[in-house]
Amino acid sequence: MTPQLTISNLEVSYGKVPAVTGASLDILPGELRVILGANGAGKTTILKTILGLLKPARGSITFEGHDLLVLKPHQIHRLGIASVPEGRQLWATLSVQDNLRLGGWLLKSDEVETRIKAMFERFPRLAERRNQIAGSLSGGEQQMVAIARALVSRPKLLLMDEPSLGLAPIVVKDVFRLVREINETGVSILMVEQNAKQALNVAGWAYLLEVGSIVASGNAQTLAKTDRVKAVFLGGEA
């Protein structure tokens, strides 16, 4: 099967400081893949470059045959790539419904309302809080809004940046269950995470990123059993 997204020999720097050095990865249609790495490893940099928010010094990124490096962020979004950013980045003073509406900013108004209705059917808790100010929600509910906002545009590929960050353990389980459910509808997901145990449980394939370089990759369950992953990402767990 032809990869949906292909990244080859990506190099990205912040000024003279290298952030990603020669990273290559891909994702097939309908797959759920995860990039594991510590803070500062370059995970978010890769996602931002896919989205057109950063320009690489070298390398290539293609999505369904389109060269993403020549496109602007809104053009990339139109191709079917949406993101759930680190820290959720909601409009805290707006209602849940208005946050979802902003997720469909490239759609026609009637289509946006149809998609919001679909999100409220999918997330009944958000329907109950549709008029509540987003900043007053719990962390788990805010993450749910961020995910629903991204889904309003009906993405083919969803980029997720640390979806479990700052959430209570019980909420983390709910978020990863939701990630799996979204993927089962056919949406491809490329997720970056520090919570290796949960991420490896839901992903089919994993990449290990250290200091801007991918040092290992493979089937997520197989990779979880390697000594390197146990030592670096799972705290020595068997």
Side-chain angles (χ1 to χ4, degrees), residues 23-56:
S24 296
L25 58 91
D26 57 35
I27 181 169
L28 299 177
E31 274 195 311
L32 198 173
R33 294 195 172 193
V34 63
I35 304 172
L36 301 177
N39 278 332
K43 306 186 303 298
T44 296
T45 297
I46 290 175
L47 295 192
K48 286 184 174 180
T49 308
I50 295 171
L51 292 168
L53 301 175
L54 295 173
K55 293 299 181 183

Side-chain angles (χ1 to χ4, degrees), residues 2 42 122:
T2 303
R122 186 169 193 170

Side-chain angles (χ1 to χ4, degrees), residues 105-123:
W105 62 285
L106 288 176
L107 304 177
K108 294 180 179 179
S109 58
D110 58 341
E111 187 176 359
V112 173
E113 297 311 313
T114 298
R115 292 298 300 151
I116 290 175
K117 181 179 179 181
M119 288 302 103
F120 283 149
E121 291 173 354
R122 186 169 193 170
F123 302 96

Side-chain angles (χ1 to χ4, degrees), residues 72-125:
K72 296 180 180 179
H74 73 276
Q75 295 172 316
I76 293 171
H77 185 65
R78 283 191 186 279
L79 292 178
I81 301 177
S83 71
V84 180
E86 181 180 351
R88 301 176 282 274
Q89 296 184 24
L90 302 180
W91 283 269
T93 59
L94 298 182
S95 69
V96 168
Q97 183 161 286
D98 283 342
N99 269 272
L100 298 191
R101 188 170 287 119
L102 288 167
W105 62 285
L106 288 176
L107 304 177
K108 294 180 179 179
S109 58
D110 58 341
E111 187 176 359
V112 173
E113 297 311 313
T114 298
R115 292 298 300 151
I116 290 175
K117 181 179 179 181
M119 288 302 103
F120 283 149
E121 291 173 354
R122 186 169 193 170
F123 302 96
R125 194 185 311 175

